[in-house]
Amino acid sequence: MLRATLKSLLARKARLVASGLAVVLGVMFVSGAFVLTDTLGRSFDTIFNDAYAGTDVGVSAKPKIEVAEMEGEQIAAPFPASALDQVRAVPGVAGVTGVAAADGARVIGSNGKVLTSFGPPQFGSNWTGESDLVRLREGRGPTAADEVVVNAAVAKAGKLAVGDRVGILTLQPRRDFTVVGIFGYSGDRDSLGGAQEVAFTEPVAQELMLGQPGVYSELSVEAADGVAPATLRDDIAATLGDGYVVKTGEQLSADASAGLKEGLGFFNNILLGFAGVALFVGIFLILNTFSIIVAQRTRELALLRAIGAGRRQVIGSVLVEAVAIGLLASVLGLGAGIGVGALLAYVFGQTAGGLQLAGLGVPPAAVISSFAVGLIVTVVAAVLPAMRASRIPPVAAMQDVATPDRPLTKISAAGAVVTAVGGTLMALGLSGNTGDNTLLTILGGVLLSFVGVALLTPLISRPVVGLLGRLFSWSVPGKLGRLNSGRNPRRTAITAAALMVGIALVTGVTVILDSAKSSITALAEETIQAELVISGAQSGPRPPSFDPAVLDQAAALPGVAMVAGIYGDRALVGGEQGWITATSDVTALREIYQATPTAGSIDTLGPHQLLVDSGTAQDRGLAVGDTVPVQLSRGEAQTYTVTGIYAESDLFGGFLLPVGAATDFAMPQPTQAYLKLAPGASVDDVLPRVEALLAESPEVSVADRADFIEQQTSQLDGLLTMIQILLALAILIAVLGIVNTLALSVLERTRELGLLRAIGLRRAQTMRMITVEAVVISVFGALLGVAVGAGLGAAVVRALRDEGISNLVLPWTEMGLFLGLAAVVGVVAAVLPAIRAARLNVLGAIAHE
């Protein structure tokens, strides 16, 4: 039986390899994700090992607010220079170096624009001299307050040379410095992990990067000979007390690398998610391929049954073929995944500013997951066809007709049940009543909904396909193509279901994001009563900012009635972490946002007073006159008194502090400003004048309200484009499914096609017949996808109504485009099968068994 199975498998190599392509693509994503994260993870390990190679023990103060890796920037708490003296006096300390460093030194290049950094930090620190890691390539270290040295990555990106004047943005507005040196790192590296670094004199670094003189962000301690770093760590910790974090260099390196790997893990999960979609679609392709092959082999399998093969042996025969395909697909997918992982790692390294990559590695997880996924997917997809094959009676060996289609009652009932369960899980997940399992509940509901709809598809395939086919029934080939596409509802449904999944996901995401854009736009247009807005696009951990003096200068411009500057930060309010805002003019902000008081007064805001929106007040149990402790990113905790409560808004809410509190924010400069013009003033007249005020703040620009709203919502367009590109993989697999189904169908109908040719059907007509069949199937799948995707998207939008997404937008243009593309997909998918059908030898086809 095994020999017969292997010979049968080798006789259909091309068809079975085609069905395995879907698994190859899915496995490629799985293995590529693991190869990518392993390569980047080891690269970061090397970088941080080098960075902390000269540190036996590191000392830092406990941050005021603990921020998770994916939630934002962790602000280091500065500590006084007296701590350095305490550490120096600890027995076993050979040397201590005080470091005043922080992320956020943005260099303005020779073109007048800020050097961008998509991921790697932009460090500003004090120059501590050369070391085994850091070496000057040109010039010298800074000695004057207006001198800096930059690493080679900054010099190349900004086209800077020794002697150039350069503007730098920090916690303070732009200041100009002279570049007196350019440094690199051991191994002839221009940067560590793509980080941009600028080094000032110590007093300047303390002022600009930490916000106050005479403080440090970290101490680098060198142990005396014979002193173990762990022992010295414990001694220093005992000396300094609980307010400090003391770790060995190895711990610091491991922690820093682990933080970045957490972000890589998130990216890895995204890739695995799309791999899951590809494999899910691939199941439909493999299921259909094996179903057709089993139908074609009815007489062969019946003959095996007649000469003594048992049902288990028949099932085993089909599953052996599936295992063979899974193994081959896993090997090919693993190889492709290694290549894709290497390519993505290279792209990531170049995007991150020239990250030096560790050698390409293939972790065991990549190999194990590739073979596990490849085998499981193919075997699971082949189970039903295998069961069907085992039911073929021996008497079928004497018949020319394959086993007839069974009634659709059971499969339709199962589809209804699965769809109902999927819809229930989605409803539970979207309602927010599933706790920490919300995402898994929603994903499970979506998966079951797709399976349920796929099971229901045969019930509607014949009437819908027949209706679609009438569009092409103006000719004999068109009529034949329509009839062929509807003759086997199960086969048509499974083929169309693969395309349905990809288009449904794209449609659903488009509905959600377009509805979000429409809701945000409508709310902003209704709420923001300001004609001009100053803002910038955030590309790093800190938002773009500008000189606070611009606020007063803009308010003095002719035609400007009022200006409200906005400062933002994370804070602990009453022990709970959240976002907090400060404003330069509470009266102006109230007018611009049309805020209405619900308790107390919101007209003024004095020191140690705060305003809160009604929703937050209700959640926190706050009333006018209550006091609440507030811990900002810097400074000590302060107690504020609630003096007013205003109506909750989806665009502006939370806590509002006076502008004086912003000195302890992570970024003590305004990040946005709203300008309300005087009656009769023209935007075209005022806007250029405001632009002139922002000449020294290249991170931000001024725009009218419509352009500002468009800028904010355009980020959703980028997200949609990325998702559409990744989901194109699922649609590609669906195309392969249509090609494979048609190719097998042509082979199955060889004699029928020969007879049609014999009675006068020309080659061109034969090709049109196959093309019509493909177009009808693909448009049917796209129609299902559009309907299911629109329904799922509408359900999510309805569930998010309380989150501010109130406008349901159905993207009719995109949905029409999807249907049009489906027709094109059908034409493309039909090319090879149609050519093969047209080239059949008429006499040979008629004699075919």
Side-chain angles (χ1 to χ4, degrees), residues 201-276:
T201 60
E202 185 171 290
V204 174
Q206 291 169 335
E207 176 190 358
L208 298 185
M209 302 311 303
L210 302 182
Q212 59 188 105
V215 295
Y216 296 103
S217 59
E218 186 180 354
L219 298 179
S220 177
V221 183
E222 180 185 356
D225 292 340
V227 177
T231 301
L232 186 59
R233 173 200 61 196
D234 296 340
D235 293 342
I236 293 174
T239 300
L240 294 177
D242 294 335
Y244 292 84
V245 177
V246 185
K247 296 182 179 180
T248 64
E250 290 184 358
Q251 288 177 311
L252 291 171
S253 175
D255 290 348
S257 183
L260 283 174
K261 287 178 180 178
E262 183 180 344
L264 289 178
F266 176 76
F267 184 62
N268 186 60
N269 290 337
I270 292 177
L271 291 178
L272 292 177
F274 284 104

Side-chain angles (χ1 to χ4, degrees), residues 43-121:
S43 301
F44 288 127
D45 286 340
T46 301
I47 289 170
F48 290 115
N49 286 337
D50 289 345
Y52 290 103
T55 300
D56 290 319
V57 177
V59 179
S60 61
K62 289 183 178 179
K64 302 293 183 180
I65 302 174
E66 294 281 355
V67 179
E69 180 68 26
M70 300 301 294
E71 292 182 352
E73 180 190 12
Q74 180 69 72
I75 304 299
F79 52 86
S82 58
L84 188 150
D85 296 328
Q86 288 180 273
V87 172
R88 185 179 286 125
V90 174
V93 173
V96 184
T97 301
V99 179
D103 192 0
R106 291 95 69 204
V107 176
I108 301 172
S110 57
N111 60 358
K113 297 182 179 179
V114 174
L115 303 185
T116 56
S117 175
F118 298 100

